[in-house]
Amino acid sequence: MSESHTPEPQAGDARTPHGLDALAGLAGEQTPDAAPVPLRPQQIDRLGRAYATGRRKDAVARVWLKPGTGQITVNGRDQTSYFARATLRLIINQPFDVAERQGQYDVVATVTGGGLSGQAGAVKHGIAQALTRYEPALRPVVKKAGFLTRDSRTVERKKYGKAKARRSFQFSKR
């Protein structure tokens, strides 16, 4: 019984690729003029809007995004009246600033739960998700800024025998 046996390539063998450059050559040549294809398709409804859900703490925001003049409406009110603090309005507009799309999209959002800070974070998360669904080419930019990741930090629950989650009752020696 004679089997034809090909020896395994050794470290010094000429058939073994050396270094990362040789491995990159094995993957195949790509033409430099080929545009990168977005990994995900555009997701818009029959009215031309992109929908996404944003979450932060206990707040949940449903966000619809469509091309427009940059008007942001939250729970039927303008963003300046709903989020009175300028820092909250800055948080909401961060995805547009990173993507360089200020004033190009109208946003309609409904937010429930949580406080104003959590609601602003939820709207920001929803806008970032909807923006990448309307323009999939913006996904790497928005993802690198960290706006597509849900901030999962929530309030820790209160434990028995404690005043709050971790705070003990006041100690008195007498």
Side-chain angles (χ1 to χ4, degrees), residues 57-114:
K57 294 187 177 180
D58 283 336
V60 178
R62 299 183 308 157
V63 176
W64 289 270
L65 184 111
K66 65 179 181 179
T69 60
Q71 181 179 358
I72 299 177
T73 307
V74 181
N75 288 352
R77 293 163 50 189
D78 188 49
Q79 69 167 341
T80 54
S81 66
Y82 193 83
F83 294 113
R85 283 188 282 168
T87 55
L88 297 178
R89 292 193 301 272
L90 280 174
I91 289 172
I92 288 175
N93 289 309
Q94 281 178 338
F96 294 124
D97 295 338
V98 168
E100 299 175 355
R101 299 288 191 269
Q102 300 93 339
Q104 295 183 19
Y105 290 99
D106 287 344
V107 175
V108 176
T110 58
V111 194
T112 58

